[in-house]
Amino acid sequence: SRLVLNKIDGKAYEGLVDGKASLDWAGSAALTGSLELKRVNATRLLAALGSDLSAEGDLSASLKLDAKADSLGKLAEALRVDGSFEMKRGAAKGFDLGEAVRSIGRTATRGGETKFEQLTGMVQCGPQECRLGNLRLASGLLTAGGSLGIAGGGKLSGAMNVELKSSAAVVRMPLAIGGTAKAPQLTQSRGR
């Protein structure tokens, strides 16, 4: 009625996975565990998870897993994941933060990508929604911080505060995130 994995150690998506987990199925079912991901290929991991979001880079994360359900078959639907992550030398696909800041007016910016040296944040995923919070992106003269929510059907919501430095000035712009994971859009929240 119980399975305990004291040590999970392996390779996945060009990186390393380390952790532990326990699974109980006496009466109702429960799963608890923790995972450490190191230098995992973000593009391959997101594709394996069935996410429409696209990013590239080396992903490291520290995650806690928790699920409770009436039966083993329903555990996946009840899974909750909490933790922190860091990506290095990568790109956020579909989000061109620099272009969104430079665009004139309040028309939405779609497509493109934002390359970064480092992207960090917190992740909370439940059965209905995932939230990426406390996001911090650094890319040379561009820095950004904010949050992103991904609801059912891939609907996006959130905001980023972007700072773009040049030799002449510093432009700070709040951006609203909308659209879907397949077609994200960025809109200026206020005038310059």
Side-chain angles (χ1 to χ4, degrees):
S1 64
R2 187 165 199 232
L3 173 66
V4 177
L5 302 171
N6 291 317
K7 179 76 172 159
I8 299 169
D9 187 14
K11 293 182 179 181
Y13 309 111
E14 302 167 29
L16 303 173
V17 178
D18 184 30
K20 60 183 177 179
S22 70
L23 178 62
D24 294 291
W25 60 88
S28 59
L31 169 73
T32 58
S34 61
L35 289 176
E36 295 286 331
L37 308 178
K38 295 176 187 159
R39 298 179 308 281
V40 171
N41 180 311
T43 305
R44 292 185 61 200
L45 178 62
L46 287 170
L49 293 174
S51 173
D52 287 328
L53 284 178
S54 181
E56 61 184 42
D58 292 334
L59 171 68
S60 295
S62 179
L63 305 172
K64 298 280 185 208
L65 311 174
D66 183 43
K68 291 179 177 59
D70 295 339
S71 65
L72 280 173
K74 295 181 180 177
L75 274 181
E77 299 167 9
L79 183 64
R80 296 191 174 279
V81 179
D82 291 293
S84 60
F85 70 91
E86 175 184 40
M87 287 179 65
K88 292 187 176 179
R89 297 170 301 280
K93 306 286 188 168
F95 297 90
D96 191 336
L97 297 175
E99 181 61 29
V101 167
R102 288 187 292 269
S103 70
I104 296 177
R106 295 176 184 248
T107 60
T109 301
R110 294 177 175 83
E113 68 179 26
T114 300
K115 292 186 184 281
F116 55 81
E117 293 300 315
Q118 182 181 48
L119 173 63
T120 61
M122 305 297 288
V123 61
Q124 289 183 317
C125 286
Q128 303 299 320
E129 180 182 39
C130 277
R131 297 232 25 105
L132 304 177
N134 200 26
L135 294 172
R136 299 281 177 253
L137 180 142
S139 174
L141 300 177
L142 185 142
T143 57
S147 64
L148 174 66
I150 306 126
K155 184 172 170 49
L156 299 181
S157 62
M160 294 294 284
N161 290 310
V162 181
E163 183 176 284
L164 184 59
K165 297 177 185 173
S166 71
S167 58
V170 175
V171 177
R172 291 180 181 89
M173 181 64 62
L175 300 174
I177 302 170
T180 64
K182 280 186 182 179
Q185 65 183 36
L186 300 168
T187 309
Q188 293 181 3
S189 297
R190 64 168 171 77
R192 295 172 195 238

